[in-house]
Amino acid sequence: DQQVKQNSPSLSVQEGRISILNCDYTNSMFDYFLWYKKYPAEGPTFLISISSIKDKNEDGRFTVFLNKSAKHLSLHIVPSQPGDSAVYFCAAKSSFGNEKLTFGTGTRLTIIP
Amino acid sequence: NAGVTQTPKFQVLKTGQSMTLQCAQDMNHNSMYWYRQDPGMGLRLIYYSASEGTTDKGEVPNGYNVSRLNKREFSLRLESAAPSQTSVYFCASTPTRPAYEQYFGPGTRLTVT
Protein backbone atom coordinates (compact mmCIF):
# COMPACT_ATOMS: atom_id res chain seq x y z
CA ASP A 1 0.00 0.00 0.00
CA GLN A 2 1.77 3.10 -1.28
CA GLN A 3 0.97 5.85 1.21
CA VAL A 4 3.00 8.46 -0.68
CA LYS A 5 2.58 8.54 -4.44
CA GLN A 6 4.42 10.34 -7.18
CA ASN A 7 2.40 9.49 -10.26
CA SER A 8 4.77 11.03 -12.81
CA PRO A 9 7.92 8.91 -13.21
CA SER A 10 9.50 11.57 -15.40
CA LEU A 11 9.17 15.21 -16.41
CA SER A 12 11.00 17.33 -18.99
CA VAL A 13 11.08 21.12 -18.76
CA GLN A 14 12.80 23.80 -20.78
CA GLU A 15 15.55 25.73 -19.02
CA GLY A 16 14.19 28.95 -17.51
CA ARG A 17 10.64 27.64 -17.24
CA ILE A 18 8.82 26.46 -14.13
CA SER A 19 9.08 22.81 -13.05
CA ILE A 20 6.16 21.44 -11.04
CA LEU A 21 6.53 18.10 -9.31
CA ASN A 22 3.51 16.54 -7.65
CA CYS A 23 2.99 14.21 -4.71
CA ASP A 24 -0.15 12.70 -3.18
CA TYR A 25 -0.56 10.97 0.16
CA THR A 26 -3.24 8.83 1.70
CA ASN A 27 -2.38 8.79 5.41
CA SER A 28 -4.19 11.64 7.16
CA MET A 29 -1.79 11.30 10.12
CA PHE A 30 1.10 12.69 8.06
CA ASP A 31 1.88 16.20 9.26
CA TYR A 32 5.35 16.94 7.94
CA PHE A 33 6.52 16.68 4.36
CA LEU A 34 9.94 16.84 2.75
CA TRP A 35 11.45 16.90 -0.72
CA TYR A 36 14.76 15.26 -1.51
CA LYS A 37 16.89 15.54 -4.62
CA LYS A 38 19.08 12.71 -5.87
CA TYR A 39 21.83 12.72 -8.47
CA PRO A 40 23.07 9.43 -9.98
CA ALA A 41 25.52 7.51 -7.80
CA GLU A 42 24.91 9.84 -4.85
CA GLY A 43 22.70 9.71 -1.79
CA PRO A 44 19.54 11.83 -1.61
CA THR A 45 19.98 15.36 -0.26
CA PHE A 46 17.36 17.34 1.60
CA LEU A 47 15.82 20.18 -0.40
CA ILE A 48 12.86 21.74 1.39
CA SER A 49 10.14 20.81 3.87
CA ILE A 50 6.74 21.97 5.07
CA SER A 51 4.71 21.44 8.20
CA SER A 52 0.98 20.79 7.98
CA ILE A 53 0.31 24.06 9.82
CA LYS A 54 1.46 25.90 6.69
CA ASP A 55 0.32 25.80 3.10
CA LYS A 56 3.45 27.22 1.51
CA ASN A 57 7.17 27.30 2.18
CA GLU A 58 9.69 29.06 -0.01
CA ASP A 59 13.46 28.79 -0.23
CA GLY A 60 15.05 30.64 -3.12
CA ARG A 61 13.96 29.06 -6.39
CA PHE A 62 12.11 26.26 -4.59
CA THR A 63 8.58 26.51 -3.21
CA VAL A 64 6.52 23.72 -1.72
CA PHE A 65 2.73 23.97 -1.59
CA LEU A 66 0.54 21.82 0.63
CA ASN A 67 -3.19 21.23 0.11
CA LYS A 68 -4.29 19.23 3.13
CA SER A 69 -7.88 18.79 2.04
CA ALA A 70 -6.71 17.19 -1.21
CA LYS A 71 -3.80 15.39 0.48
CA HIS A 72 -1.55 16.84 -2.20
CA LEU A 73 1.74 18.68 -2.25
CA SER A 74 3.78 20.11 -5.05
CA LEU A 75 7.30 21.39 -5.53
CA HIS A 76 7.80 24.38 -7.82
CA ILE A 77 11.23 25.22 -9.20
CA VAL A 78 11.52 28.55 -10.96
CA PRO A 79 13.45 29.28 -13.02
CA SER A 80 14.59 25.74 -13.84
CA GLN A 81 18.30 25.26 -14.40
CA PRO A 82 20.30 22.38 -15.96
CA GLY A 83 21.69 21.49 -12.52
CA ASP A 84 18.15 20.75 -11.37
CA SER A 85 18.12 17.60 -13.52
CA ALA A 86 17.83 14.83 -10.93
CA VAL A 87 15.35 12.44 -9.32
CA TYR A 88 13.09 14.11 -6.76
CA PHE A 89 11.56 12.18 -3.89
CA CYS A 90 8.67 13.32 -1.78
CA ALA A 91 8.57 12.04 1.82
CA ALA A 92 6.14 12.29 4.73
CA LYS A 93 6.07 11.60 8.45
CA SER A 94 3.66 11.64 11.34
CA SER A 95 4.36 13.28 14.69
CA PHE A 96 2.53 10.40 16.35
CA GLY A 97 5.17 7.74 16.59
CA ASN A 98 8.76 7.54 15.59
CA GLU A 99 11.03 9.40 13.24
CA LYS A 100 10.34 7.25 10.19
CA LEU A 101 9.87 8.84 6.80
CA THR A 102 7.69 7.29 4.08
CA PHE A 103 9.03 8.01 0.61
CA GLY A 104 7.37 8.23 -2.77
CA THR A 105 8.75 6.45 -5.82
CA GLY A 106 10.43 9.53 -7.27
CA THR A 107 10.13 11.73 -10.37
CA ARG A 108 13.04 12.10 -12.78
CA LEU A 109 13.28 15.76 -13.83
CA THR A 110 15.20 16.62 -16.98
CA ILE A 111 15.91 20.26 -17.77
CA ILE A 112 16.35 20.84 -21.49
CA PRO A 113 18.88 23.59 -22.34
CA ASN B 1 33.23 16.66 8.97
CA ALA B 2 32.50 13.72 6.60
CA GLY B 3 28.75 13.42 7.32
CA VAL B 4 27.47 9.90 6.65
CA THR B 5 29.96 7.41 5.21
CA GLN B 6 29.26 3.93 3.86
CA THR B 7 31.54 1.04 2.95
CA PRO B 8 31.89 -0.63 0.56
CA LYS B 9 30.69 1.40 -2.45
CA PHE B 10 30.18 -1.69 -4.61
CA GLN B 11 29.89 -5.40 -3.83
CA VAL B 12 29.11 -8.54 -5.79
CA LEU B 13 28.01 -11.60 -3.84
CA LYS B 14 27.00 -15.10 -4.80
CA THR B 15 23.71 -16.49 -3.55
CA GLY B 16 24.12 -17.73 0.02
CA GLN B 17 27.15 -15.62 0.89
CA SER B 18 27.04 -13.22 3.80
CA MET B 19 28.32 -9.69 4.22
CA THR B 20 28.03 -6.61 6.41
CA LEU B 21 27.46 -3.09 5.12
CA GLN B 22 29.05 -0.47 7.31
CA CYS B 23 27.71 3.00 8.07
CA ALA B 24 29.11 5.75 10.27
CA GLN B 25 28.11 9.35 10.96
CA ASP B 26 30.12 12.08 12.66
CA MET B 27 27.26 14.54 13.28
CA ASN B 28 26.34 13.23 16.74
CA HIS B 29 22.91 12.20 15.45
CA ASN B 30 20.74 9.94 17.56
CA SER B 31 18.68 8.17 14.90
CA MET B 32 20.07 6.08 12.04
CA TYR B 33 18.36 4.22 9.19
CA TRP B 34 18.97 1.67 6.46
CA TYR B 35 17.04 1.93 3.18
CA ARG B 36 17.09 0.07 -0.08
CA GLN B 37 16.31 1.70 -3.40
CA ASP B 38 14.93 -0.34 -6.28
CA PRO B 39 13.71 0.90 -9.67
CA GLY B 40 10.11 2.11 -9.46
CA MET B 41 9.95 1.43 -5.72
CA GLY B 42 11.46 4.55 -4.19
CA LEU B 43 13.29 4.26 -0.88
CA ARG B 44 12.05 1.55 1.45
CA LEU B 45 13.05 1.38 5.10
CA ILE B 46 14.75 -1.85 6.18
CA TYR B 47 15.64 -1.12 9.82
CA TYR B 48 16.15 1.93 11.96
CA SER B 49 17.67 2.80 15.31
CA ALA B 50 16.17 5.65 17.32
CA SER B 51 19.10 5.69 19.72
CA GLU B 52 22.17 3.76 20.71
CA GLY B 53 21.18 0.29 21.85
CA THR B 54 17.77 0.18 20.14
CA THR B 55 16.74 -1.13 16.74
CA ASP B 56 13.35 -1.63 15.07
CA LYS B 57 12.07 -3.19 11.89
CA GLY B 58 11.01 -1.06 8.98
CA GLU B 59 8.96 -1.93 5.91
CA VAL B 60 11.20 -4.67 4.43
CA PRO B 61 13.32 -6.28 7.22
CA ASN B 62 13.26 -9.92 6.07
CA GLY B 63 16.70 -11.30 5.27
CA TYR B 64 18.56 -8.56 7.13
CA ASN B 65 19.94 -7.92 10.60
CA VAL B 66 21.35 -4.75 12.08
CA SER B 67 23.66 -3.68 14.88
CA ARG B 68 23.86 -0.24 16.42
CA LEU B 69 27.44 -0.61 17.61
CA ASN B 70 27.62 2.84 19.22
CA LYS B 71 26.17 6.27 18.54
CA ARG B 72 28.25 6.67 15.39
CA GLU B 73 27.93 3.28 13.72
CA PHE B 74 25.01 1.27 12.36
CA SER B 75 25.72 -1.88 10.34
CA LEU B 76 23.47 -3.96 8.10
CA ARG B 77 24.12 -7.68 7.71
CA LEU B 78 22.92 -10.06 5.03
CA GLU B 79 23.30 -13.56 6.48
CA SER B 80 22.50 -15.50 3.29
CA ALA B 81 22.27 -13.23 0.28
CA ALA B 82 19.55 -13.77 -2.34
CA PRO B 83 19.19 -12.27 -5.84
CA SER B 84 16.13 -10.34 -4.56
CA GLN B 85 18.53 -8.38 -2.35
CA THR B 86 20.25 -6.88 -5.37
CA SER B 87 19.74 -3.17 -4.76
CA VAL B 88 21.32 0.11 -3.78
CA TYR B 89 21.52 0.49 -0.01
CA PHE B 90 21.52 3.84 1.71
CA CYS B 91 22.29 4.67 5.31
CA ALA B 92 20.88 7.86 6.82
CA SER B 93 20.90 9.70 10.13
CA THR B 94 18.86 12.43 11.73
CA PRO B 95 19.35 14.63 14.78
CA THR B 96 16.91 14.86 17.64
CA ARG B 97 13.59 16.60 17.23
CA PRO B 98 12.37 18.96 15.96
CA ALA B 99 14.66 18.41 12.98
CA TYR B 100 13.25 15.71 10.75
CA GLU B 101 15.61 15.97 7.81
CA GLN B 102 17.59 12.83 7.22
CA TYR B 103 21.15 13.00 5.96
CA PHE B 104 22.10 10.22 3.56
CA GLY B 105 25.34 8.44 2.77
CA PRO B 106 26.52 7.86 -0.82
CA GLY B 107 25.11 4.34 -1.04
CA THR B 108 26.35 0.78 -1.58
CA ARG B 109 25.48 -0.91 -4.85
CA LEU B 110 25.04 -4.64 -4.15
CA THR B 111 24.61 -7.32 -6.78
CA VAL B 112 23.74 -10.88 -5.82
CA THR B 113 24.24 -13.48 -8.56
Side-chain angles (χ1 to χ4, degrees), chain A residues 9-45:
Chain A
S10 62
L11 176 68
S12 295
V13 174
Q14 290 278 353
E15 181 179 359
R17 298 288 194 110
I18 183 170
S19 295
I20 300 175
L21 293 89
N22 294 303
C23 178
D24 297 295
Y25 62 96
T26 57
N27 189 340
S28 57
M29 300 300 287
F30 288 148
D31 56 7
Y32 196 83
F33 305 89
L34 307 90
W35 284 95
Y36 280 81
K37 177 179 180 178
K38 184 184 179 305
Y39 291 121
E42 295 183 11
T45 55

Side-chain angles (χ1 to χ4, degrees), chain B residues 11-19 78-82 85 112:
Chain B
Q11 184 70 48
V12 179
L13 290 179
K14 295 189 177 178
T15 297
Q17 287 185 319
S18 62
M19 80 161 294
L78 288 71
E79 290 291 352
S80 179
Q85 294 178 305
V112 183

Side-chain angles (χ1 to χ4, degrees), chain A residues 6-77:
Chain A
Q6 293 177 257
N7 292 318
S8 298
S10 62
L11 176 68
S12 295
V13 174
Q14 290 278 353
E15 181 179 359
R17 298 288 194 110
I18 183 170
S19 295
I20 300 175
L21 293 89
N22 294 303
C23 178
D24 297 295
Y25 62 96
T26 57
N27 189 340
S28 57
M29 300 300 287
F30 288 148
D31 56 7
Y32 196 83
F33 305 89
L34 307 90
W35 284 95
Y36 280 81
K37 177 179 180 178
K38 184 184 179 305
Y39 291 121
E42 295 183 11
T45 55
F46 169 73
L47 194 56
I48 192 169
S49 62
I50 188 167
S51 165
S52 60
I53 62 173
K54 296 184 177 181
D55 54 20
K56 176 183 173 181
N57 188 27
E58 193 172 351
D59 183 2
R61 296 187 298 114
F62 303 92
T63 304
V64 57
F65 295 91
L66 175 63
N67 182 333
K68 288 192 294 289
S69 61
K71 292 191 177 69
H72 176 84
L73 63 154
S74 60
L75 174 68
H76 293 209
I77 306 173

